[in-house]
Amino acid sequence: MDSEAPIGAKRRGIRGWRWVIFSLLGLPAGIILLGNLSLSSPWVCHRIAAKIERRTGMETRVGGATWSPWNGAAIDAVELLQPVPLRAALKQPLVRIDSLRVTPVWKAWLRGRLEVHSIELVSPRFVLPLELASHLARPQKTTPPPVAAATAPPAAGLPGPPAPTPPAAVYPPPPPAPPSQPTGWLHLKNASFTLVHASSHRTLIEIAKITGSVPIAGDHAQAALKIDSVSAFGNELARNLAAQLDWTYPLLSLKPLETEIAGYKLVLAGKIASFSGLPIQIDAQLPRQALAAFALPFDGQASAEAITANARFRGLLLAPGTWQGDLIAESLAPGIRVAARETKFDRGSAVTILRGGVISCVDARLIGDELSLLGNATLLADGRAAGAARLVAAPESVTGIVSRIFPHLAAPSLTPLATPQRAAFDLEAFGNISQLFLRLGRDGPVVNLKH
């Protein structure tokens, strides 16, 4: 009988150790479960939203959060709201992300280094109002600069202005390469970007269904990013774009992408650096090609035997006030048709620059033996605009052209030039992008250009 007692005690001891083992194994699962329950509580969601709000300056809402040792941390239903003055006109949030998941490198975190294996954004949607972009790009001054009256363009035959000065370099000297480490990734699933004009509820630019993995840290890597469609003012410009990316610390580069926009060949390239502010540069080239006929105001039409253009955008992505851009376009044998009259020119050109939130077409011209058109225009960050155009030809030709374009203008007010064989008709535009006014002739009437 005594020999059985130790056996029973042994069995009870085994059962006790099983309970301890199961308890130890279940403890982490219980901690994870309780942790996720607390992360979904309104109090914790409010705390997470408050932290995002302090970093971004935008009112934030968060639907919930979860975490696990194998999947990292995720925040669900993240919304950054539009600024209060724009909410009445624009109901969509500035940023909406269905799920934001961060997978850390736990080994590095345990050693005090914040390394991330990947960041995943599920269905991120960015809706940027033009009014907000203009405000951010506005120079930091106590009072906005006045809109200078657009000056009359120079007389035909004068040489054009020099090309704009290249913007100052925004890329600091690259630091020494860090030690080898696994590549970090940004995974995008069904992302989209929309630029809207909140006041008129018009969609200006929309890039839809961006999907792919983008290398953003660590060792060299290559990847592809797919874009379903690109639209402007409701018109589809391109579909099914595939952007090839190359990551070599500290630059993420877009390899030259040859595509077609609205039927025209276009080559795009760019790069962005992982420095403070995210320095970025985008280059676009429109190779020499024919310009098909397109509509102009007042029932006009324009075309050209050939056109070419080069554009560059540079600055800090997170600081719109630093954005700089240059666009130089040239055309060969352009033509304009108004009513039944067609006018041919020898050449055309335009120079447009972006500086400090101000877009200026500093010079645009169509030069011909019998007729020349000259112009310039400026758009400020707050939406105010001004422009001027001049038509130069023989006085009788100017009068005839103006009468066809503005049949209700009784007697066009012409501007005399140095030679009596030539006269000019000046147009002056002023107002803002929502409401423009046009002065017909140097001393002519002012009309309202309704959109």
Side-chain angles (χ1 to χ4, degrees):
M1 297 294 294
D2 294 339
S3 61
E4 295 181 1
I7 296 175
K10 185 176 181 180
R11 289 177 178 174
R12 287 194 297 271
I14 293 175
R15 287 196 296 269
W17 278 110
R18 286 177 179 174
W19 182 88
V20 171
I21 293 173
F22 289 151
S23 298
L24 291 175
L25 292 176
L27 183 61
I31 293 174
I32 294 173
L33 178 61
L34 292 175
N36 285 322
L37 289 176
S38 65
L39 287 174
S40 299
S41 67
W43 181 81
V44 173
C45 290
H46 178 75
R47 289 291 300 273
I48 296 174
K51 288 186 178 182
I52 298 175
E53 188 170 329
R54 284 195 296 270
R55 295 293 298 271
T56 63
M58 298 292 178
E59 185 177 342
T60 305
R61 296 173 182 170
V62 170
T66 58
W67 79 277
S68 68
W70 46 88
N71 284 330
I75 307 175
D76 299 324
V78 181
E79 289 187 352
L80 276 65
L81 305 186
Q82 300 286 353
V84 175
L86 296 175
R87 289 182 196 173
L90 190 60
K91 303 299 183 183
Q92 297 169 296
L94 178 68
V95 180
R96 161 77 192 196
I97 305 174
D98 286 358
S99 178
L100 187 160
R101 182 178 298 278
V102 178
T103 305
V105 180
W106 293 113
K107 185 177 180 180
W109 280 40
L110 293 174
R111 295 178 179 177
R113 299 196 312 271
L114 299 179
E115 293 182 12
V116 175
H117 176 69
S118 66
I119 300 174
E120 182 183 75
L121 302 180
V122 178
S123 298
R125 178 170 175 79
F126 302 85
V127 180
L128 177 64
L130 180 64
E131 293 85 345
L132 177 59
S134 299
H135 172 75
L136 295 175
R138 195 177 304 170
Q140 300 299 314
K141 294 183 180 180
T142 53
T143 56
V147 179
T151 57
L158 295 180
T165 303
V170 295
Y171 291 99
S180 177
Q181 62 184 43
T183 305
W185 295 88
L186 172 64
H187 302 296
L188 297 175
K189 294 184 178 181
N190 194 31
S192 65
F193 170 82
T194 306
L195 178 66
V196 300
H197 185 232
S199 301
S200 62
H201 303 281
R202 295 180 65 189
T203 298
L204 306 180
I205 298 174
E206 184 171 14
I207 306 175
K209 295 184 180 179
I210 308 168
T211 300
S213 297
V214 181
I216 56 175
D219 294 340
H220 171 264
Q222 295 183 340
L225 198 64
K226 295 182 179 180
I227 302 173
D228 182 74
S229 64
V230 178
S231 303
F233 300 97
N235 299 313
E236 186 175 271
L237 301 180
R239 286 193 66 87
N240 300 324
L241 300 179
Q244 301 298 319
L245 305 176
D246 181 275
W247 163 256
T248 302
Y249 178 85
L251 291 178
L252 176 66
S253 302
L254 168 65
K255 296 181 180 181
L257 171 63
E258 297 183 5
T259 184
E260 287 192 1
I261 300 293
Y264 293 96
K265 296 179 180 179
L266 183 69
V267 181
L268 292 171
K271 54 186 177 180
I272 185 170
S274 59
F275 298 140
S276 176
L278 297 181
I280 188 172
Q281 176 176 308
I282 300 174
D283 294 286
Q285 180 186 25
L286 190 72
R288 183 185 177 96
Q289 56 197 291
L291 177 65
F294 63 95
L296 291 176
F298 310 108
D299 296 324
Q301 193 178 71
S303 61
E305 181 180 310
I307 186 174
T308 183
N310 289 278
R312 168 169 289 183
F313 172 87
R314 301 185 76 180
L316 301 177
L317 182 62
L318 302 183
T322 67
W323 294 354
Q324 300 180 359
D326 300 295
L327 170 62
I328 301 176
E330 297 178 345
S331 62
L332 176 65
I336 294 179
R337 178 186 294 274
V338 178
R341 180 186 175 93
E342 183 174 9
T343 302
K344 288 289 187 179
F345 300 90
D346 297 326
R347 64 189 187 279
S349 64
V351 178
T352 303
I353 62 174
L354 167 66
R355 296 290 187 276
V358 178
I359 299 177
S360 295
C361 178
V362 295
D363 181 82
R365 55 182 64 200
L366 294 171
I367 304 299
D369 292 336
E370 299 180 357
L371 174 67
S372 294
L373 293 174
L374 312 164
N376 57 63
T378 295
L379 174 64
L380 296 188
D382 60 6
R384 288 178 294 165
R390 168 172 286 185
L391 186 154
V392 179
E396 60 275 13
S397 297
V398 173
T399 301
I401 294 172
V402 173
S403 298
R404 282 191 293 272
I405 298 176
F406 305 105
H408 301 295
L409 189 61
S413 175
L414 303 186
T415 302
L417 300 178
T419 171
Q421 284 79 25
R422 286 287 186 269
F425 180 74
D426 291 324
L427 292 171
E428 180 185 355
F430 53 91
N432 57 61
I433 58 175
S434 298
Q435 185 61 71
L436 283 174
F437 298 89
L438 191 65
R439 185 184 302 278
L440 307 179
R442 186 179 62 173
D443 301 316
V446 175
V447 297
N448 187 347
L449 285 180
K450 297 181 179 179
H451 294 280

